[in-house]
């Protein structure tokens, strides 16, 4: 897909999804220049629901940086579509001024919508601008003091950017960028969905102004009863209005012999979400049964992988997750070694480095390449096959790592991000073929190279 086709597809889908009453959240950090404010990092989030917390808007204007957030809880569709189009052109309008994303030559684009294996398929487009020199330590120190004196006060640039979830200036040679995300007008409500006794119950919530006739819903039962386990069920959804203003739809489907079911929610031709639902009484992965017997619902493993700030716990959590997926991981005690050495049932070797900090990725990547080469040579000298896979695991979302993903791809290292980890947890209840998982991850990594 060409860049122009990617942008056109995003704009068409955004116009289809957005309704009157969507909320808009704009976050930005920009630098003052002689030609006007230049965006360093910014995001636009359009959501069918109002923000959970109100009064989060602010604008701080210092001698070097402009930092802030705007929230509009219910906006007209025309205004929202205009904001999206301006953002695609590299502009946002805040505090009575236009902030611009300046390119080296022309704006570039990247989208998670190219990834076929996403489970939640919100619309996404990242607009990429120039790679600028980093501000000096003196400029950052001055900005820190200005921000501490501002209203509301933050403990410098880092605190303010972390609050907004944006890249901190001065932390690396990153490309300036503007990220746009549009949430779907209809989605599954997991707490009200379940598979039990061969019956799947699905609950959907839709924006009150969305045309529900455009919803498609398919299910696939595993193991199921042949083609009877594959059904289109949108026509069987019973819709009603709930007090919060949302439309609520419920459908119940009989799926004989099913211990798991995949639900596929779509808006006409575009996927919104794919989600597995498991009958907890029929889990077939004995590794999962063994681990969850001592760690109910994998709460501790999930916390270690998705939330912990302790790098050692993160490594142990990744090792447990790999075990659940059918691999045999080994935590290394030697300091001059990869975090994990992993084997698959066919004997394929993989070395793994884990990090919870984006700033560590370059160092970890270099170590992986060196250690893979060293291990391959040692295997050849010992009369064994030389193939060794290298995997770098980082908990950050992929849209925060375009440069790192490009570098990993060039070095033939598989980069696993937050999206991959969430997907892996969806797969642990059922038996997996680790070699297929490894091949799929390698194929996915090879499809995308984000360098210009």
């Amino acid at each position: 897909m060409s860049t122009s086709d990617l942008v056109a597809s995003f704009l068409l889908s955004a116009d289809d999804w957005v309704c009157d009453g969507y909320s808009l959240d704009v976050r930005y950090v920009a630098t003052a220049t002689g030609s006007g404010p230049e965006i360093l990092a910014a995001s636009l989030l359009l959501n069918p629901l109002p923000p959970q917390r109100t009064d989060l808007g602010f604008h701080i204007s210092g001698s070097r940086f402009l930092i802030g957030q705007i929230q509009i809880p219910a906006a007209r569709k025309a205004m929202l579509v205009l904001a999206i189009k301006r953002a695609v052109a590299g502009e946002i309008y805040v505090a009575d001024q236009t902030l611009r994303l300046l390119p080296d030559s022309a704006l570039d684009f990247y989208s998670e919508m190219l990834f076929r294996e996403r489970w939640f398929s919100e619309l996404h487009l990242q607009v990429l601008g120039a790679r600028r020199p980093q501000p000096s330590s003196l400029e950052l120190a001055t900005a820190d003091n200005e921000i501490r004196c501002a209203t509301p006060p933050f403990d410098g640039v880092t605190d303010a950017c972390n609050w907004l979830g944006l890249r901190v200036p001065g932390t690396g040679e990153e490309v300036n960028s503007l990220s746009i995300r549009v949430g779907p007008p209809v989605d599954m409500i997991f707490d009200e969905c379940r598979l039990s006794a061969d019956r799947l119950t699905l609950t959907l919530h839709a924006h009150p102004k969305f045309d529900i006739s455009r919803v498609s819903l398919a299910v696939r039962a595993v193991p199921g009863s042949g083609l009877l386990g594959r059904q289109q069920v949108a026509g069987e959804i019973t819709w009603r209005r709930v007090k919060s203003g949302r439309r609520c739809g419920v459908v119940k489907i009989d799926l004989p012999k099913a211990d798991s079911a995949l639900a596929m929610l779509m808006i006409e031709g575009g996927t919104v979400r794919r989600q597995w639902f498991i009958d907890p009484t029929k889990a077939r992965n004995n590794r999962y049964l063994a681990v969850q017997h001592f760690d109910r619902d994998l709460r501790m493993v999930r916390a270690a992988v998705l939330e912990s700030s302790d790098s050692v716990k993160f490594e142990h959590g990744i090792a447990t997750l790999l075990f659940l997926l059918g691999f045999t991981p080994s935590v290394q005690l030697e300091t001059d070694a990869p975090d994990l050495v992993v084997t698959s049932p066919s004997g394929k070797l993989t070395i793994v480095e884990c990090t919870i900090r984006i700033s560590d990725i370059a160092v970890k990547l270099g170590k992986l390449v060196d250690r893979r080469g060293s291990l391959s040579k040692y295997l050849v000298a010992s009369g064994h096959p030389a193939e060794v896979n290298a995997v770098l695991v980082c908990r950050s979302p992929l849209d925060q790592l375009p440069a790192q993903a490009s570098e990993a791809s060039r070095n033939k290292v598989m980069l696993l991000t937050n999206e991959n980890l969430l997907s892996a947890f969806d797969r642990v209840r059922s038996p997996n073929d680790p070699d297929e998982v490894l091949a799929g991850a390698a194929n996915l990594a090879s499809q995308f190279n984000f360098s210009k």
Side-chain angles (χ1 to χ4, degrees), residues 315 339 353-355 360-369 392:
E315 292 171 14
D339 295 329
E353 290 284 351
C354 307
T355 181
D360 289 345
I361 288 181
V363 174
K364 290 276 189 177
L365 185 60
K367 289 181 178 180
L368 267 175
V369 174
L392 178 59

Side-chain angles (χ1 to χ4, degrees), residues 255-318:
L255 297 175
K257 301 180 181 179
D259 53 34
S260 62
L262 175 66
M264 296 167 278
L265 175 63
M266 304 182 69
I267 296 176
E268 294 182 341
T271 301
V272 172
R273 188 183 291 275
R274 299 153 57 232
Q275 182 66 37
W276 281 101
F277 295 97
I278 313 295
D279 186 334
T281 65
K282 298 182 180 181
R284 294 179 293 147
N285 184 351
N286 64 349
R287 293 186 179 216
Y288 169 80
L289 291 173
V291 174
Q292 69 92 33
H293 176 71
F294 301 102
D295 181 7
R296 186 171 180 81
D297 298 326
L298 306 184
R299 293 172 184 169
M300 297 302 294
V301 178
R302 285 181 177 274
V305 171
L306 303 175
E307 301 172 11
S308 176
S309 58
D310 185 326
S311 60
V312 175
K313 285 187 177 180
F314 181 62
E315 292 171 14
H316 290 177
I318 294 298

Side-chain angles (χ1 to χ4, degrees), residues 98-295:
T98 299
L99 313 185
R100 290 184 172 85
L101 186 68
L102 302 182
D104 284 326
S105 54
L107 293 172
D108 200 0
F109 301 91
Y110 153 72
S111 177
E112 293 171 6
M113 294 164 61
L114 295 173
F115 285 76
R116 296 170 54 203
E117 296 303 317
R118 289 197 301 165
W119 293 91
F120 177 53
S121 301
E122 63 183 350
L123 303 181
H124 171 259
L125 187 71
Q126 189 168 23
V127 190
L128 304 173
R131 189 186 299 273
R132 297 297 192 204
Q134 295 300 303
S136 68
S137 297
L138 178 59
E139 289 173 320
L140 289 170
T142 301
D144 285 343
N145 291 332
E146 291 174 342
I147 292 172
R148 291 177 185 128
C149 294
T151 301
F154 291 91
D155 185 19
V157 175
T158 299
D159 183 29
C161 291
N162 287 340
W163 171 267
L164 296 172
L166 299 176
R167 176 175 62 84
V168 180
T171 56
E173 292 289 336
E174 296 290 341
V175 173
N176 295 344
S177 65
L178 193 168
S179 177
I180 312 166
R181 293 185 182 274
V182 182
V186 59
D187 201 357
M188 301 180 200
I189 307 301
F190 294 162
D191 291 345
E192 301 176 33
C193 300
R194 64 186 178 278
L195 176 64
S196 178
D198 295 340
R199 169 168 280 203
L200 177 65
T201 300
L202 299 175
T203 298
L204 312 178
H205 281 187
H207 190 283
K209 295 189 178 181
F210 175 68
D211 181 3
I212 56 177
S213 67
R214 300 171 59 204
V215 172
S216 296
L217 183 62
V219 297
R220 169 199 167 198
V222 177
S225 299
L227 290 179
L228 294 178
R230 299 174 181 266
Q231 304 178 35
Q232 294 287 348
V233 299
E236 301 175 38
I237 302 174
T238 300
W239 292 95
R240 59 184 176 85
R241 185 70 66 89
V242 295
K243 291 182 179 180
S244 63
R246 311 179 205 175
R247 284 183 178 272
C248 178
V250 178
V251 59
K252 298 182 179 181
I253 313 108
D254 290 326
L255 297 175
K257 301 180 181 179
D259 53 34
S260 62
L262 175 66
M264 296 167 278
L265 175 63
M266 304 182 69
I267 296 176
E268 294 182 341
T271 301
V272 172
R273 188 183 291 275
R274 299 153 57 232
Q275 182 66 37
W276 281 101
F277 295 97
I278 313 295
D279 186 334
T281 65
K282 298 182 180 181
R284 294 179 293 147
N285 184 351
N286 64 349
R287 293 186 179 216
Y288 169 80
L289 291 173
V291 174
Q292 69 92 33
H293 176 71
F294 301 102
D295 181 7

Side-chain angles (χ1 to χ4, degrees), residues 112 117-122 181 190 273-276 278 298 301-307 314 317-318 321 324-325 393-398 415-429 432:
E112 293 171 6
E117 296 303 317
R118 289 197 301 165
W119 293 91
F120 177 53
S121 301
E122 63 183 350
R181 293 185 182 274
F190 294 162
R273 188 183 291 275
R274 299 153 57 232
Q275 182 66 37
W276 281 101
I278 313 295
L298 306 184
V301 178
R302 285 181 177 274
V305 171
L306 303 175
E307 301 172 11
F314 181 62
I318 294 298
L321 182 56
L324 290 166
L325 292 172
V393 184
C394 180
R395 193 168 62 203
S396 299
L398 182 59
L415 177 63
L416 302 186
T417 62
N418 181 264
E419 294 84 353
N420 304 111
L421 298 177
L422 292 173
S423 175
F425 276 112
D426 286 333
R427 304 178 61 160
V428 296
R429 289 177 181 255
N432 291 276

